[in-house]
């Protein structure tokens, strides 16, 4: 059973969707506006969002962009807009799939299963052990070693390192770290990230002045990567 969030302003369609999805064993909550949908997605942390584009307060594509800034939750766009441009824009904004109205509940259910399978595969990849130079990060066991020796990290230091390890070589913004590691989707102090990075660097034997694995990209964010030559 998946926890689903339906964001749809048409009450008739919303009610029918909720009933059909619950009949298929899902737990379903709903919202009728973009901002209510964003709030529900952040607070409830559903497994998947079914999103209408024609919302009364914001275009669904704008909601998608806002949602992607704070969450990686899978999103299926349900829309009556069948032109290529709208579909491409929705996918570019962060949608994982789309279904055109009118649609059968079985069609939506099949797409939900497919998207959740892909999301589960991505989650498995995120839990894989990662080795960067002499540092090994084991997300499942919540263990870190360096040159074969255990590194004693606080829970939040480990969460920060594991998040970066799952994205080796990719620059991650402080805003994303605040949202995903500290669960502060509406923002917080960059100082929080800076302080934990400083502690983490010290435990890994490096510093901001002489970085090795934790490399700051000025004005963008930080990445975990092999030492630069």
């Amino acid at each position: 059973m998946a926890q689903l969030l339906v964001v749809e302003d048409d009450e008739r369609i919303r009610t029918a969707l909720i009933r059909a999805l619950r009949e298929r064993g899902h737990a379903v909550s709903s919202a009728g506006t973009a901002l209510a949908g964003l709030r529900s997605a952040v607070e409830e942390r559903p497994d998947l969002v079914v999103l209408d584009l024609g919302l009364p307060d914001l275009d669904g594509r704008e909601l998608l962009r806002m949602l992607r800034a704070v969450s990686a939750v899978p999103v299926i766009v349900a829309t009556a807009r069948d032109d290529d441009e709208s579909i491409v824009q929705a996918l570019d904004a962060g949608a994982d799939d789309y279904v055109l109205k009118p649609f059968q509940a079985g069609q939506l259910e099949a797409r939900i299963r497919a998207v959740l399978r892909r999301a589960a595969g991505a989650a498995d990849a995120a839990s894989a052990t990662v080795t960067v130079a002499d540092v090994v990060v084991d997300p499942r066991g919540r263990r870190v070693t360096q040159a074969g020796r255990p590194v004693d990290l606080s829970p939040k230091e480990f969460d920060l390192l594991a998040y970066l390890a799952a994205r080796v070589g990719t620059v991650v913004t402080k805003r994303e770290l605040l949202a995903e590691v500290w669960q502060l989707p509406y923002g917080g102090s960059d100082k929080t990230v800076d302080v934990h990075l400083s502690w983490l660097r010290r435990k890994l034997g490096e510093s901001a002045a002489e970085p090795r694995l934790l490399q700051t990209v000025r004005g963008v964010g930080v990445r975990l990567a092999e030492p630069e030559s």
Side-chain angles (χ1 to χ4, degrees), residues 112-132:
I112 288 172
R113 289 197 304 266
V115 170
L116 288 177
R117 282 196 300 269
R118 293 199 298 269
D124 288 343
S127 65
T129 298
V130 177
T131 300
V132 184

Side-chain angles (χ1 to χ4, degrees), residues 94-216:
D96 294 272
D97 201 351
Y98 69 92
V99 60
L100 294 176
K101 296 178 180 178
F103 53 83
Q104 298 296 318
Q107 180 187 4
L108 177 60
E109 171 67 14
R111 291 180 180 272
I112 288 172
R113 289 197 304 266
V115 170
L116 288 177
R117 282 196 300 269
R118 293 199 298 269
D124 288 343
S127 65
T129 298
V130 177
T131 300
V132 184
D134 58 349
V135 172
V136 179
V137 182
D138 175 11
R140 291 185 184 274
R142 293 187 66 83
R143 292 186 296 268
V144 176
T145 60
Q146 184 172 34
R149 295 185 295 274
V151 180
D152 184 21
L153 301 180
S154 71
K156 195 57 70 177
E157 289 167 353
F158 179 86
D159 291 344
L160 173 58
L161 182 60
Y163 191 84
L164 294 171
R167 296 154 183 81
V168 168
T170 300
V171 179
V172 180
T173 66
K174 292 179 182 178
R175 181 179 180 182
E176 180 178 344
L177 291 172
L178 286 168
E180 298 297 331
V181 178
W182 276 268
Q183 303 300 308
L184 295 173
Y186 299 114
S189 172
D190 286 358
K191 190 68 174 176
T192 299
V193 179
D194 292 338
V195 168
H196 282 79
L197 280 172
S198 177
W199 292 340
L200 192 52
R201 283 190 170 109
R202 185 169 65 246
K203 291 183 179 181
L204 294 178
E206 57 185 82
S207 67
E210 297 182 359
R212 181 168 168 263
L213 305 179
L214 292 166
Q215 303 161 8
T216 298

Side-chain angles (χ1 to χ4, degrees), residues 9-120:
D9 69 317
D10 187 308
E11 185 175 357
R12 180 182 57 82
I13 296 175
R14 185 170 68 246
T15 300
L17 264 179
I18 291 171
R19 181 174 62 251
L21 292 170
R22 284 177 176 168
E23 287 175 351
R24 285 163 170 77
H26 301 296
V28 187
S29 60
S30 67
T33 66
L35 294 181
L38 179 63
R39 182 168 57 251
S40 294
V42 169
E43 294 176 354
E44 298 172 12
R45 302 182 69 81
D47 298 312
L48 183 141
V49 176
V50 179
L51 172 64
D52 176 37
L53 293 184
L55 299 170
D57 51 344
L58 288 173
D59 185 87
R61 289 167 297 187
E62 183 60 29
L63 172 57
L64 257 175
R65 296 185 185 95
M66 295 168 67
L67 189 57
R68 279 292 165 261
V70 299
S71 174
V73 62
V75 177
I76 295 178
V77 164
T79 179
R81 304 175 190 174
D82 59 357
D83 60 288
D84 288 345
E85 183 178 359
S86 294
I87 292 170
V88 169
Q89 287 178 351
L91 293 172
D92 284 345
D96 294 272
D97 201 351
Y98 69 92
V99 60
L100 294 176
K101 296 178 180 178
F103 53 83
Q104 298 296 318
Q107 180 187 4
L108 177 60
E109 171 67 14
R111 291 180 180 272
I112 288 172
R113 289 197 304 266
V115 170
L116 288 177
R117 282 196 300 269
R118 293 199 298 269

